[in-house]
Amino acid sequence: MATMNQGILGGFSGKIGTVVGSSWRGKNVLRSAPSVSTKPASAAQQKQRDKFKGVSQFLTPIKEILMETFGASVGSKSPFNNAMSYHMKEAVQQTTVGFQLEYAKVLIGKGGLCGFENPVVQVLPTHRLQVSWDDNSTQGLAYPTDAFLIVAYAPASQRFKYAMGESQRETKQGVLSFEESFYGETVHLWTTFHNTKLALSATSKYLGSFVI
């Protein structure tokens, strides 16, 4: 590895020929480009790749949400990286036919904001899910204007439906409406609160599965 201060090229990033340029701790760095391995993956490596692929495919559609609700960036590790790491370790189980997500362990938010108190879900006749809760905004790290976030996932069609900010903690209820294409499907449901000013979320709660 070599470092480069100010030369004829100055600092650069990306690959040129057999070297890769990048910035590391404020210094311009040149590294040898990694060689492509032709060695077949071991069984353990392939399992890890399959696990990573499955978690990534599940979370990517809600990446925009997770970038706000799953902690702060630390160095090069983003909130989405934090979400990937958590789910890889805690929310996947291996079965005889591969890997399977444990929906009860899935999180759509993680942080120190105060969570829900006594949430109750009702399936409304208009193909909507209503969540009600007790207003606990007098507790520490709970604020009346914390935004309500609700996320639903339909495994059969591998689709998400979500809404954030349409209700607040103090309103004590929120509703998620579904398009006709969801009618008859079973969805898994998670909720959390998010405070934009504090860049802080509550650790989400899994509320079960419901037929739309």
Side-chain angles (χ1 to χ4, degrees):
M1 180 181 75
T3 61
M4 185 171 53
N5 294 321
Q6 291 295 327
I8 188 170
L9 297 176
F12 74 90
S13 63
K15 183 179 179 182
I16 299 180
T18 60
V19 297
V20 176
S22 62
S23 178
W24 181 72
R25 294 185 178 179
K27 297 180 180 180
N28 298 315
V29 179
L30 289 177
R31 303 177 186 271
S32 296
S35 58
V36 178
S37 175
T38 58
K39 184 179 179 181
S42 67
Q45 287 173 326
Q46 190 59 51
K47 282 184 179 180
Q48 188 69 4
R49 291 175 186 177
D50 291 344
K51 184 178 180 181
F52 182 90
K53 181 180 179 181
V55 171
S56 179
Q57 288 177 337
F58 175 71
L59 295 179
T60 296
I62 54 170
K63 181 177 181 178
E64 185 178 357
I65 289 176
L66 298 173
M67 287 294 289
E68 290 191 53
T69 62
F70 231 90
S73 297
V74 179
S76 62
K77 194 169 184 180
S78 71
F80 185 70
N81 294 143
N82 295 336
M84 283 291 301
S85 178
Y86 165 80
H87 287 86
M88 288 281 290
K89 294 176 182 176
E90 305 293 342
V92 180
Q93 64 176 350
Q94 188 172 359
T95 68
T96 56
V97 294
F99 292 101
Q100 182 176 315
L101 279 162
E102 296 187 71
Y103 295 118
K105 293 184 179 180
V106 166
L107 296 180
I108 51 94
K110 193 170 187 289
L113 202 66
C114 191
F116 282 83
E117 189 166 306
N118 301 323
V120 176
V121 182
Q122 285 183 285
V123 182
L124 302 180
T126 51
H127 302 282
R128 296 184 298 166
L129 293 178
Q130 177 179 283
V131 182
S132 57
W133 59 87
D134 294 341
D135 180 11
N136 58 351
S137 56
T138 58
Q139 298 178 9
L141 281 180
Y143 304 89
T145 57
D146 291 337
F148 169 65
L149 169 62
I150 181 170
V151 176
Y153 176 70
S157 57
Q158 299 182 349
R159 292 183 296 165
F160 281 95
K161 178 70 177 179
Y162 55 86
M164 182 164 73
E166 296 179 8
S167 300
Q168 299 176 328
R169 190 188 295 265
E170 65 182 354
T171 62
K172 299 191 288 185
Q173 70 173 33
V175 173
L176 182 62
S177 301
F178 293 85
E179 296 86 1
E180 187 175 351
S181 59
F182 279 92
Y183 293 0
E185 285 205 58
T186 296
V187 299
H188 294 269
L189 195 67
W190 300 269
T191 55
T192 189
F193 288 118
H194 179 68
N195 189 299
T196 302
K197 286 186 178 180
L198 298 178
L200 192 62
S201 294
T203 296
S204 62
K205 185 179 290 291
Y206 175 65
L207 298 182
S209 61
F210 304 88
V211 178
I212 303 304

